[in-house]
Amino acid sequence: MRSLDPLLEPFSLKHLTLRNRVVSTSHEPAYAVDGMPKDRYRLYHLEKARGGVGLTMIGGSAVVAPDSPPAFGNLLLYRDDIVPWMRSLADDVHEAGAAVMCQVTHLGRRSSSYTDDWLPLVYPSPLREPAHRSFPKVAEPWDLDRIVDDYAAAAQRCQAAGLDGIELQSYGHLLDAFLSPATNHRDDELGGSLEHRMTFPRRVVRAIRAAVGPDFVVGIRMSMDEDAAEGLGRDEALRALRAYVEDGIDFLSVIRGTIDSDATLAKVIPSMGTPSAPHLAFAGEIRRAVDVPVMHASRISDVATARYAVREGLVDLVGMTRAQIADPHLVRKVAAGDEDRIRPCVGANYCLDAIYQSGDAKCIHNPASGREQTLAHLTPPAAARRKAVVVGAGPAGLEAARVLGERGHRVVVLEASDTPGGQVRLAAAAARRRDLIGIVDWRVAELKHHDVELRLGILADTGTVLAEDPDVVIVATGGLPNTDVVRTGGHLLHDTWDVMSGGVQPDGRVLVYDDNGAEPALDAAELLATRGATVELVTPERTVGPLVGSMNSPAYLAAFARHGVEVTLGHRLVSVERDLAGGLRARLRSDYADVERERHVSHVVVEHGTLPNDELYRDLVPLSRNLGAVDHRALLAIRPQQVHTNPDGGFALFRVGDAVASRNIHAATYDALRLCLAL
């Protein structure tokens, strides 16, 4: 029967019939091994196929040539040995009911020549790329001849692997570099007029079509308006696309903008605090102007927006890529009538920032994504039912309770505050980061589905815990601000919790000292500046917020520029004292020279992470049968914890999240998931 939900309607793309309109668009999670999509890569996409997606696209920026060196774990399509790995992935995805395609590209200047084979990067013009700081050589005719052949050979490898199609990348890479007047400054037959600028990309499209034949699906993900001075505009983009369609392009994935800098990339792939689906109306305009199927993905995070996009004819296929990193079973839940149980994408863009911070993509609050080899998205039932007490309802405690409850255990959560959420609630107090509260709200709702008892306003002590007669106790009491950063004057300091909670509202001249490097100090500095304070951000680091990735830092830097936040790098706060003239005197010392400076300010706010709030844990250790010990090998293998060092102990005791050490949301939920999956 035909579904009444437009998202679940099938769609035909040439000979290929997709089971629904939802796509996981091309992106590179950096899960490849030696440039190959091996087991981890395969299982990541297989999970989405099992979760109901119509089309999953692999190989975000899979490269066609050695002089397009991987910038972030890209697949190496120029190697023949990639074919069996892609074949294995395609077979599994097909068996699960989904189609699979691969994005194909030459990165041009968007990489580094100081890696892999150290070949010079090629580009139409000698223009440095801001993001990777690369200076390319001007492509010669022989460069372009071999690259055309490389594209065709890469497409043939995808076809030989049994993929359903490919997608060319044409925004921020080599193809669009020739097309855009902003990057093509050539004075030969490949530059100047649009017809000349189209010459090289049209050669590529024609060569691919000739290599794969008429039936293989070939699409293009293309900026239809670079939204930049001297850049490619909509009219020229449409003319170019129509020419590409004549040459053999079958579908368009719409992009607006370009990705040459952190600032422009953050507009193409918007983070939290930006409007939902900011380019969707533009995509609809393009769809009305073209004669090929159109897909689009840019902060389409929720089902309602995706459904609207398809129902109103703005797109034929809707990309929900980050949303399916958060919940790869999104489509299955929609089909089952469980839309309210979809784990939300909160738009933190940790998935992308983590690639550069720690080597691969990670969802901020679904630690199973990308770890399908060891962690389950669908929690298995426990062999025996136990009584568990979880102390603390921050992200770690809520995740522990959710997993234990889903496995069938009897769970009680004791939370001292009258609202759950812990530090996530503080972080969500920043207007731009308010969507983080979805991490809390989803888990609280899930607890109800699993009959987990959430008791708020309970300051648990040993007696409170023992009264529950638990088999397992998980301490998730979080941490408290660590303000031990100065030799003298610690009693004069505020911390970022004071600011974000509204407990204090510093005005006048405020020094914010960041010896953490993550979001909290930047949130506090921005909030104070928007309230009218004169703010100076001081850090011993050589950059602002080194733990804040390139997808999120532009918003902070924009706010700092608008509100005049001063930044001082490479200095430590060493002391604070009262000034006889009023206010405070803060002394700063350089890490790099024997230099000290003074600041006369009204307030000093510090951010130095947290220290574990572990008093209850320490009290419970001698009463536990494992004395709080964790078998790390069992933890990493997702095996039950079987440490029994205290024969008089009555329960197993563990702590998770910031009750262990100051870390982030992902670490907190990862702690809880891998521990509780096997308890």
Side-chain angles (χ1 to χ4, degrees), residues 382-660:
R385 197 176 191 215
R386 300 284 186 258
K387 175 64 178 291
V389 173
V390 178
V391 185
L398 290 174
E399 177 69 355
R402 180 193 73 83
V403 175
L404 291 171
E406 189 170 339
R407 297 191 64 213
H409 296 299
R410 294 179 294 121
V411 185
V412 173
V413 182
L414 308 176
E415 166 58 42
S417 175
D418 59 357
T419 53
Q423 293 180 61
V424 171
R425 192 165 291 277
L426 276 177
R432 193 176 60 254
R433 304 182 74 208
R434 62 184 181 272
D435 288 353
L436 286 174
I437 203 63
I439 295 170
V440 175
D441 291 346
W442 178 75
R443 285 175 169 79
V444 170
E446 285 294 297
L447 297 191
K448 296 176 183 177
H449 286 286
H450 304 303
D451 296 322
V452 173
E453 186 178 355
L454 176 58
R455 300 181 194 167
L456 302 174
I458 303 295
L459 184 60
D461 58 16
T462 301
T464 312
V465 172
L466 295 180
E468 297 296 326
D469 192 23
D471 299 301
V472 177
V473 177
I474 296 182
V475 175
T477 45
L480 297 172
N482 180 4
T483 58
D484 187 18
V485 296
V486 293
R487 292 196 295 259
T488 59
H491 63 290
L492 300 174
L493 304 175
H494 299 304
D495 57 65
T496 55
W497 288 26
D498 295 330
V499 174
M500 300 309 296
S501 68
V504 298
Q505 297 188 13
D507 55 7
R509 185 167 184 83
V510 182
L511 188 153
V512 176
Y513 178 64
D514 181 16
D515 197 9
N516 179 352
E519 289 85 354
L522 307 191
D523 285 336
E526 180 179 357
L527 180 61
L528 292 169
T530 58
R531 289 177 175 172
T534 301
V535 179
E536 179 182 8
L537 180 74
V538 177
T539 176
E541 303 286 354
R542 60 189 179 97
T543 58
V544 175
L547 297 180
V548 180
S550 61
M551 302 303 300
N552 285 291
S553 58
Y556 288 111
L557 297 178
F560 289 180
R562 283 194 299 267
H563 298 287
V565 174
E566 301 174 33
V567 174
T568 298
L569 303 175
H571 283 74
R572 293 187 183 278
L573 178 67
V574 293
S575 66
V576 179
E577 59 186 45
R578 293 198 184 278
D579 193 322
L580 295 178
L584 303 173
R585 279 190 297 168
R587 186 169 294 277
L588 309 177
R589 183 174 182 82
S590 169
D591 270 1
Y592 302 96
D594 187 16
V595 174
E596 288 195 356
R597 294 182 170 86
E598 276 192 356
R599 297 289 192 268
H600 295 262
V601 296
S602 305
H603 305 273
V604 176
V605 177
V606 302
E607 170 55 44
H608 189 55
T610 61
L611 292 173
N613 179 22
D614 59 0
E615 182 179 352
L616 175 61
Y617 170 78
R618 300 294 177 190
D619 290 343
L620 292 172
V621 165
L623 304 177
S624 66
R625 62 174 176 262
N626 61 325
L627 299 178
V630 178
D631 180 344
H632 282 168
R633 287 186 173 84
L635 179 73
L636 297 178
I638 319 299
R639 297 196 310 265
Q641 294 288 318
Q642 296 180 333
V643 179
H644 295 159
T645 52
N646 179 17
D648 297 326
F651 51 86
L653 174 67
F654 306 98
R655 55 177 171 157
V656 291
D658 279 12
V660 179

Side-chain angles (χ1 to χ4, degrees), residues 223-301:
S223 178
M224 300 304 293
D225 181 355
E226 290 186 328
D227 193 25
E230 301 181 0
L232 184 72
R234 170 181 162 169
D235 290 344
E236 282 199 336
L238 284 170
R239 287 169 57 193
L241 176 68
R242 292 179 183 123
Y244 298 164
V245 171
E246 290 178 10
D247 297 332
I249 288 295
D250 299 312
F251 71 86
L252 167 69
S253 181
V254 174
I255 293 290
R256 186 180 191 186
T258 188
I259 56 175
D260 59 340
S261 70
D262 290 349
T264 56
L265 178 62
K267 293 179 181 179
V268 173
I269 311 175
S271 292
M272 63 175 62
T274 59
S276 175
H279 309 305
L280 182 56
F282 174 77
E285 294 172 4
I286 297 299
R287 182 179 182 268
R288 289 190 291 272
V290 301
D291 296 324
V292 290
V294 168
M295 74 169 72
H296 174 62
S298 181
R299 194 159 158 70
I300 302 176
S301 303

Side-chain angles (χ1 to χ4, degrees), residues 344-362:
C345 172
V346 298
N349 267 354
Y350 186 70
C351 47
L352 297 169
D353 284 342
I355 294 174
Y356 293 96
Q357 290 177 5
S358 54
D360 51 30
K362 300 171 184 69

